[in-house]
Amino acid sequence: MSSSSLRDRKLRIAICHPDLGIGGAERLIVDAAEELATRGHHVHIFTAHYDPNRCFDETKQGNFLITVYGDFLPRHIFCRLHAVFAYLRCLYVAVCMICLWSSFDIVLVDQVSAVVPLFKCTVSKVIFYCHFPDLLLARHVTMAQRLYRRPIDWLEEKTTGMADCVLVNSKFTASTFASTFKSLDAKGIKPQVLYPSVNIDQFDFRPVQPQVDGW
């Protein structure tokens, strides 16, 4: 197949995102889905939580599908184990995607890399978007915190490296990725930089008329 025919091919693209609320990561995911849909691709976002009353407007315009699985699962127990339940909720979403839907051409995953091995069992190409290494955002102060985070941090590094392509949001994050995931860097896994988009339609570019005193 020629490069031009590949560019013209309309792909079935799935996005696996933990919580489609309002935030920086969600803004990037929604912008990516909107742009891909505008280019004619079939885009479907799968998530563990979506509230139409607390979301970006683009998610309600119908340009791409949104399906929720696993919102019944708890987010924490007594304000603890947030990371474990985030992983469980995302894994549930991934299992539902694989079992209930036909295969996609590309699966875009962000935030929770633990689902990457599941999608690798399908024919889909898997892209992981690393906003920032999660292990650097977690607390590792007490012995209990370090013991709790050790398997999670190990799993994050291992599963991130299983993606067919790793993307980051800046050159700074790329350098942080290399210094944090040393085993991946040693294997030659270098993330590619894909900057978050900016919607320039929100700005008013009309020329400002000069104001003259007395007129």
Side-chain angles (χ1 to χ4, degrees):
M1 185 178 291
S2 66
S3 59
S4 60
S5 60
L6 282 173
R7 286 194 298 267
D8 295 336
R9 181 186 173 196
K10 304 308 178 185
L11 301 173
R12 298 182 70 249
I13 302 173
I15 300 176
C16 182
H17 182 75
D19 186 337
L20 196 62
I22 298 177
E26 289 70 39
R27 180 71 268 173
L28 184 144
I29 290 300
V30 170
D31 287 343
E34 185 78 7
E35 181 62 24
L36 290 167
T38 300
R39 292 176 179 269
H41 300 294
H42 304 286
V43 183
H44 196 154
I45 297 180
F46 295 88
T47 182
H49 178 75
Y50 171 66
D51 182 358
N53 297 316
R54 188 180 181 277
C55 62
F56 290 112
D57 290 338
E58 292 89 340
T59 63
K60 296 182 286 186
Q61 294 174 359
N63 294 332
F64 47 85
L65 297 174
I66 299 174
T67 299
V68 179
Y69 292 119
D71 204 8
F72 64 91
L73 295 170
R75 296 172 180 267
H76 56 80
I77 293 181
F78 301 116
C79 296
R80 298 184 181 276
L81 305 178
H82 286 87
V84 169
F85 282 105
Y87 274 46
L88 290 176
R89 286 163 65 92
C90 239
L91 287 168
Y92 185 87
V93 173
V95 170
C96 290
M97 289 172 62
I98 294 170
C99 295
L100 301 179
W101 296 82
S102 57
S103 62
F104 295 90
D105 297 304
I106 298 174
V107 177
L108 171 61
V109 177
D110 76 315
Q111 292 192 323
V112 179
S113 61
V115 300
V116 170
L118 295 181
F119 293 124
K120 290 291 290 182
C121 295
T122 70
V123 297
S124 304
K125 293 293 184 181
V126 184
I127 299 173
F128 181 70
Y129 197 102
C130 178
H131 302 280
F132 202 74
D134 182 62
L135 68 88
L136 297 181
L137 302 176
R139 294 173 60 87
H140 298 74
V141 179
T142 66
M143 178 61 70
Q145 289 172 342
R146 289 194 292 270
L147 290 174
Y148 168 67
R149 287 294 313 189
R150 185 172 297 171
I152 296 175
D153 296 343
W154 176 86
L155 186 63
E156 179 186 10
E157 183 166 359
K158 280 290 184 182
T159 55
T160 295
M162 294 180 181
D164 295 292
C165 175
V166 179
L167 301 175
V168 292
N169 54 20
S170 66
K171 292 182 178 179
F172 169 76
T173 304
S175 63
T176 303
F177 181 99
S179 61
T180 303
F181 300 134
K182 293 183 174 63
S183 67
L184 301 185
D185 187 62
K187 293 178 181 178
I189 298 176
K190 308 291 185 183
Q192 301 180 48
V193 177
L194 178 62
Y195 294 106
S197 63
V198 176
N199 181 12
I200 61 174
D201 292 336
Q202 64 184 309
F203 301 109
D204 187 355
F205 290 104
R206 291 176 298 178
V208 178
Q209 298 297 326
Q211 299 293 323
V212 180
D213 292 341
W215 293 81

